[in-house]
Structure formats: C-alpha cells, structure tokens
Amino acid sequence: MKLTILGYNSAVPTVRFNPSAQLLETYNRYFLIDCGEGTQVQLRKAKAKFSRINNIFISHLHGDHVFGLIGLLSSFQLLGRTTPMNIYGPKGIKEFVEIQFKLTESFNNFKINFIELTSKNPELIYEDDKIWVYTIPLNHRIYTNGFLFKEKPKLRKLNMEEIGKIQEIKICDYYNLKLGKDFKTEEGVIISNSKLTLSSPHSYSYAYCSDTLYKPDIVSQIKNVDVLYHESTFLEELKTLAYKTQHTTALQAADIAKKANVKYLILGHFSNRYTDVSVFKNEAKKIFQNSLLPEELKVMDFEKLIK
C-alpha cells in the first residue's frame, strides 16, 4: 500500500494547504478518497495516471470533501475517458453530480456507477481479488462514513531449499503449496505445508476517518490497522467547540489510535485558526507516540514505514 495525501485542510482552501483528498495505491489499483476543491491539480502534481482511477469514495457531502469531484469528472470527459467510473458516497451523491452535468449541458463519454450509501452499520462496499473496502460509520452533522481498506491474505512463500529435497514436487504443485495445502507423495506420505513454505507476506490495512465527533465505538472495527488517518480539527483546549461542531481533537484522535492498537496515526483536517500545525502532533504524542503530521504529495509506502 502506498498513500499520497493530496490535501488535508478543513473548511476553505488556503495558499498553504488543500482540502481533503487522498490517493491510495495497492496492487496497481488507485482508490481516490474524498475530492475537495483542487484535487485534480494535486493529482497532476503527484503524477498520478487519471486512467487508473476507477473508484472514488466520498465520505460526506460537505464542500471541502466533494467540491473537486465535478471538475475531475469533467476532465475525465474532456480527456476522452470510456472506462466506467464507480463513485461510492452518501445518498444524494448521484443528484449532486448529475444536476451539475445537466445545468452545464455536459455529456458523459463514460458510464458512472453511483453506489449510494445509507447504512449506519459497517458494510462491505467493494471487493476484488486483492482487497476489501468497508464503511466506517461516523458521527457528523450530516451522514458520514470513513473507509477501511484491507488487503486480502497473501499466498505463502515457497521454501525452495526444502522443496528441492523432494523430487516428486513439480512446478504444477507450487500454487497449492502457496495456498497452504500439504503435499502427498505417491506412497501416501503427507508432508506438512509448514515444512515446504514460509509465512505469507504481511497484508496491509488503512483506515480513513473523516469528519466525526469523538466516536470510540469505531475501535473494534479498526483494531490493529497499520495506518489510521483521523481528523483532528481542534486541540483539546477547544474540546467544547469540537463537540458543538461534531469534530475531534488531536488528543481524542490519539486516544482512538491507542485503543485500537494501530501502528501509525496520521492527523489532519486542521482548523484554519492554527498557523503552526505541529501543535497537533505535540498534543497527540502525549498519549500515542507514533503520531504523524500529513505531508501533501509525499508518498507514504507502508512497507517501508512498517518494518
């Protein structure tokens, strides 16, 4: 998994930071998470291939998470895209997009599949042969979901030194061994898979928690994820304002990370009232040491981060 944060500011764009948008890459698949204003420009700066973006996940319909969507879709159209696009988001996302196309008299060259979400319980919304994507129901002023991306278990590695000792094992047997199956010789002797293979490579996971009130009941769903991005709009000194606006403080985000036993926490969605965002990391580190600040356009390689 590789994560590129395209923007992480709250409310309005600034000359320093862009609104919420992230690009997650795994197995040569791109998943765009939220699409604040200016996302397509950030994608170009990141040198991301537009043609590889086939799935977009929108957490909620507040502007700083969705106002870049129509511009991006329009650019896809102008670039001659024909591949279908899947957009996952709250009920209303279809109307939000289609009314803009209608009023601007734009006509799509490609099909858009809208998967509108309404459930207040976690649900599997995407699956292919390599990855699952689940919703993480959050608590904001409007219907909001986070998203949990989990790589499926990987195949075991072949122990060629041990395999080489058994002439009966042929190349055609390798796949079954990778699946974890034992090997049976012609004489009926069972050779344990654990002797012939090595452990599977680690399957990575990423949880994206967008705008939300402090919500500790998500801990059970994100337990032990490798990287958690959690909004931290305010510092603890403005905890009352966070509650009023249904946002989270940096300390509360760190508490979630600690309780969920995640490996790393990325903070984000900072209020514009703070000119020095390092204060968020300082607060979070009081209870969760592996707290990080986001860096726009920097590629975070999970394999290198988690050794």
Side-chain angles (χ1 to χ4, degrees):
M1 276 190 176
K2 295 179 181 179
L3 177 69
T4 303
I5 295 178
L6 306 170
Y8 58 85
N9 204 55
S10 69
V12 298
T14 70
V15 294
R16 297 188 304 146
F17 309 121
N18 289 273
S20 296
Q22 300 187 0
L23 189 68
L24 183 68
E25 179 183 2
T26 178
Y27 293 103
N28 293 317
R29 295 156 169 82
Y30 276 170
F31 299 98
L32 182 63
I33 312 168
D34 275 341
C35 193
E37 185 178 344
T39 292
Q40 64 173 316
V41 175
Q42 290 295 89
L43 285 169
R44 290 195 180 281
K45 289 180 180 178
K47 295 180 170 57
K49 293 183 178 180
F50 281 23
S51 61
R52 289 173 58 190
I53 301 174
N54 298 316
N55 296 280
I56 300 175
F57 298 84
I58 301 297
S59 62
H60 64 298
L61 294 178
H62 278 162
D64 53 335
H65 295 259
V66 76
F67 278 169
L69 183 57
I70 192 65
L72 179 61
L73 294 175
S74 296
S75 290
F76 283 144
Q77 175 185 316
L78 292 171
L79 292 170
R81 181 188 178 101
T82 58
T83 306
M85 173 65 72
N86 303 311
I87 299 179
Y88 303 78
K91 184 176 181 181
I93 187 69
K94 184 174 187 288
E95 181 182 8
F96 174 82
V97 170
E98 290 187 342
I99 197 168
Q100 292 178 85
F101 278 140
K102 177 182 177 181
L103 294 177
T104 57
E105 297 187 10
S106 301
F107 303 97
N108 250 1
N109 308 315
F110 60 96
K111 182 180 180 181
I112 300 178
N113 300 311
F114 293 96
I115 299 88
E116 295 196 310
L117 309 172
T118 58
S119 177
K120 294 183 179 181
N121 297 311
E123 58 181 342
L124 177 66
I125 58 172
Y126 175 90
E127 179 180 8
D128 59 31
D129 60 330
K130 299 294 186 182
I131 193 168
W132 294 292
V133 183
Y134 297 86
T135 58
I136 305 173
L138 300 174
N139 185 0
H140 194 42
R141 299 193 300 277
I142 60 175
Y143 178 79
T144 305
N145 283 302
F147 301 103
L148 173 62
F149 299 81
K150 296 181 68 175
E151 289 184 344
K152 291 185 174 181
K154 299 173 182 176
L155 298 177
R156 294 182 64 81
K157 293 182 178 180
L158 299 176
N159 186 339
M160 297 308 298
E161 183 177 349
E162 292 297 323
I163 288 174
K165 297 176 183 178
I166 305 170
Q167 293 184 351
E168 288 184 44
I169 299 180
K170 308 300 181 185
I171 292 177
C172 60
D173 298 312
Y174 287 0
Y175 186 66
N176 283 331
L177 292 175
K178 289 180 178 181
L179 290 175
K181 296 180 180 180
D182 296 332
F183 182 77
K184 186 177 182 179
T185 66
E186 293 179 359
E187 292 77 24
V189 177
I190 302 297
I191 302 176
S192 172
N193 184 272
S194 61
K195 183 178 180 180
L196 301 173
T197 64
L198 305 171
S199 298
S200 306
H202 180 66
S203 294
Y204 292 98
S205 55
Y206 175 60
Y208 173 84
C209 289
S210 175
D211 301 20
T212 183
L213 195 65
Y214 173 62
K215 197 171 186 288
D217 63 1
I218 67 172
V219 165
S220 60
Q221 189 184 357
I222 64 173
K223 200 79 173 177
N224 300 320
V225 300
D226 293 298
V227 179
L228 165 66
Y229 173 91
H230 197 293
E231 77 115 291
S232 52
T233 308
F234 301 104
L235 296 179
E236 194 69 8
E237 63 189 18
L238 292 179
K239 182 178 178 179
T240 301
L241 182 58
Y243 180 82
K244 181 180 179 181
T245 57
Q246 293 189 288
H247 283 295
T248 307
T249 69
L251 198 67
Q252 289 172 332
D255 181 62
I256 294 288
K258 182 178 181 180
K259 288 177 177 175
N261 193 39
V262 307
K263 293 184 178 68
Y264 285 91
L265 165 68
I266 305 174
L267 303 163
H269 201 265
F270 308 130
S271 167
N272 286 321
R273 71 185 66 232
Y274 300 99
T275 55
D276 178 12
V277 297
S278 67
V279 294
F280 291 92
K281 184 174 72 171
N282 295 339
E283 180 170 281
K285 276 180 169 288
K286 292 177 182 179
I287 60 173
F288 189 76
Q289 191 61 32
N290 287 346
S291 297
L292 307 173
L293 290 176
E295 296 182 56
E296 287 189 355
L297 304 180
K298 179 180 179 180
V299 179
M300 178 181 289
D301 188 326
F302 287 18
E303 186 176 3
K304 294 179 180 178
L305 179 67
I306 302 159
K307 299 177 181 179

